Amino acid sequence: MMTSLILRGCSNMSEFHLDKLLTPHLRVLDLSYTPINSLPPSFSHLQNLYLLSLRGCSQLETTLSPSPTSSNNSDKQTSPLAHLENIQVLDMNGVPLLELTQQDGSNKSNLHYLDLSGSKFTTLPSEFFCEMSSLEDLIFGNCTNLIELPPSMAQLSNLLVLHVEGTQITSFPGQIFQKMQILHTLKLISNILLMSLPVSLSEAKGLKELHI
């Protein structure tokens, strides 16, 4: 029974029948630095996946699988990421995603680590983080198109590390830090349009490192 699949750096993914390899037994899946441009529908089988690395998948611009039906049903597509209900580590550093949907953020109550560095979206759905109550590390590094953070970030009461770097944001949601009592590292480097920090930052009583 295979529980880990490591295809890191494989340049010819056509040699692997990925749909047949993605089974409910998988706990670790590493597709980093591969030329995939979409997530296969068989991601719906990965309910027990613990770690998913898509780091450096520079051709992956969407999380939606290719629709097997007509384009008329495109609005009804379910994101493959929506099925990863036991995922704890999700590394998408260097993935130029143009959009993340609310479905991508659903069923993530066990997620501890999320790296979205290098994404190309401008914003996220307002309730994107509502089902991420266990999140401890959230990384937005070099998200050069990001102009706004969703208000649901204010619900991340278990957050320890937050990086928001190289973005175009001008401000934070007013109460974003109110529940982040145990946040200890905050990096806000190279946000050249950021004019001020919210008063709620004073509520982050555990803050030990602030990089601006």
Side-chain angles (χ1 to χ4, degrees), residues 35-75:
I36 61 170
N37 55 24
S38 63
L39 300 179
S42 51
F43 259 63
S44 62
H45 302 154
L46 302 178
Q47 295 94 336
N48 295 306
L49 199 67
Y50 163 87
L51 181 150
L52 173 62
S53 179
L54 300 170
R55 176 178 286 257
C57 292
S58 59
Q59 297 181 41
L60 184 63
E61 295 183 342
T62 178
T63 58
L64 292 177
S65 299
S67 177
T69 56
S70 67
S71 59
N72 293 334
N73 293 325
S74 59
D75 292 337

Side-chain angles (χ1 to χ4, degrees), residues 122-212:
T122 58
T123 187
L124 291 166
S126 62
E127 299 184 354
F128 185 77
F129 292 102
C130 284
E131 297 183 48
M132 298 188 189
S133 58
S134 299
L135 196 63
E136 296 178 347
D137 291 66
L138 176 58
I139 316 295
F140 294 104
N142 196 34
C143 293
T144 54
N145 293 341
L146 185 63
I147 60 175
E148 186 179 31
L149 296 172
S152 57
M153 280 182 63
Q155 299 184 29
L156 300 178
S157 59
N158 286 307
L159 206 63
L160 299 173
V161 176
L162 175 61
H163 293 191
V164 182
E165 304 175 60
T167 73
Q168 296 187 49
I169 63 170
T170 58
S171 63
F172 285 88
Q175 303 303 317
I176 187 171
F177 296 108
Q178 188 169 18
K179 294 183 180 179
M180 296 185 187
Q181 302 285 320
I182 58 175
L183 183 73
H184 65 64
T185 300
L186 177 61
K187 286 190 176 183
L188 304 174
I189 298 170
S190 299
N191 299 296
I192 60 175
L193 300 180
L194 183 63
M195 302 300 295
S196 62
L197 296 176
V199 174
S200 64
L201 182 59
S202 63
E203 301 293 333
K205 304 297 186 183
L207 193 63
K208 293 180 173 61
E209 295 183 31
L210 175 59
H211 305 263
I212 300 178

Side-chain angles (χ1 to χ4, degrees), residues 63 79-82 99-106 108 128 132:
T63 58
S79 165
L81 295 182
E99 179 185 26
L100 281 173
T101 67
Q102 187 59 48
Q103 286 188 3
D104 293 319
S106 65
K108 299 294 185 299
F128 185 77
M132 298 188 189

